[in-house]
Amino acid sequence: MLLKALARYRYGIVVVLAVADGIVDGLSRTFSHSDFAQFTQAGADLVSGQWSRVFSDPWIQVGPLTLVLSGILGLLHRLTSLRLSLLFSVVVYVAIAVGLMLVVRLLYRDRGETPEPLVTLAVGVGTIAGGMGFFTVVSGHPSETIIPVLWILAARDALRERGARSGLWLAIAACLKLWGVLGLPLVLLARRPRDAASGAAIAVAGLVIGYLP
């Protein structure tokens, strides 16, 4: 009975737990030598208009969208004077936990069902307790957690004959990191050739627009 009562506030509970865990993690580490610290500097150059020199550094092997998001966090760091590791950890923990709860809800809806509140609560809490946020923070590469989720969304939309939206998810994945384009064959899950073609076209167009400059 108590669990069912708590499950009514599942999103709030998961956000509080994720923020608390993110704060503890963010205050216990430094990003002075992490990949993310370098991405933040490159992202600052990108959003400040100095984009032409960003990818001249062969060390930068992430996509433009990853750098833009890193640059935004870097800007918040300078505006608030909060530790970069703290901001990054809190955002990662909350985004992964709540994001996976929403994805599970979407997959249930595709079956014409609504997940039990306890199920979504378990997904959120399990994501935090299972260390997905922790390992993402440690690696400094959030795209490696996000891209598989985007592939799931792309496959879902391809199966639902939403080729354009499927291609959009793949374009976002590729702009986070180039290997995200490896999900392109997922558009073939569409039953109609025109949906597969439109998905592939949008994915490739997004990739070109993202990397052409």
Side-chain angles (χ1 to χ4, degrees):
M1 187 66 69
L2 177 60
L3 281 177
K4 288 186 176 180
L6 290 174
R8 294 174 56 190
Y9 309 100
R10 55 199 177 279
Y11 289 101
I13 290 170
V14 169
V15 168
V16 169
L17 291 175
V19 169
D21 216 359
I23 289 174
V24 172
D25 196 6
L27 292 177
S28 65
R29 69 179 69 251
T30 174
F31 280 173
S32 58
H33 302 293
S34 75
D35 289 353
F36 185 76
Q38 303 298 322
F39 298 156
T40 301
Q41 182 55 54
D45 291 338
L46 192 65
V47 298
S48 66
Q50 302 177 47
W51 54 266
S52 59
R53 74 180 190 183
V54 171
F55 289 101
S56 62
D57 183 353
W59 185 88
I60 300 295
Q61 297 181 16
V62 295
L65 186 54
T66 295
L67 294 182
V68 168
L69 295 176
S70 302
I72 292 172
L73 274 183
L75 178 61
L76 289 175
H77 162 62
R78 290 190 292 275
L79 289 176
T80 62
S81 298
L82 293 173
R83 290 176 61 170
L84 180 60
S85 58
L86 176 62
L87 288 170
F88 179 60
S89 295
V90 169
V91 169
V92 165
Y93 273 84
V94 172
I96 291 177
V98 175
L100 287 180
M101 292 171 73
L102 294 175
V103 168
V104 167
R105 183 177 178 182
L106 279 176
L107 296 178
Y108 265 85
R109 284 178 57 187
D110 289 347
R111 297 164 52 187
E113 302 175 10
T114 300
E116 289 290 335
L118 274 175
V119 171
T120 49
L121 176 61
V123 169
V125 174
T127 299
I128 298 170
M132 287 188 68
F134 173 78
F135 287 111
T136 301
V137 169
V138 169
S139 72
H141 291 259
S143 57
E144 295 180 1
T145 302
I146 298 171
I147 288 174
V149 176
L150 294 174
W151 285 349
I152 292 173
L153 294 175
R156 169 184 179 267
D157 282 326
L159 288 168
R160 293 168 65 86
E161 310 300 338
R162 296 174 178 172
R165 189 187 295 179
S166 177
L168 179 61
W169 294 126
L170 294 172
I172 294 172
C175 287
L176 285 170
K177 220 167 189 177
L178 188 56
W179 60 262
V181 77
L182 294 176
L184 188 59
L186 292 171
V187 300
L188 298 175
L189 292 172
R191 288 185 290 272
R192 295 183 299 190
R194 68 178 183 181
D195 289 319
S198 65
I202 288 176
V204 172
L207 175 66
V208 171
I209 292 171
Y211 285 89
L212 186 59

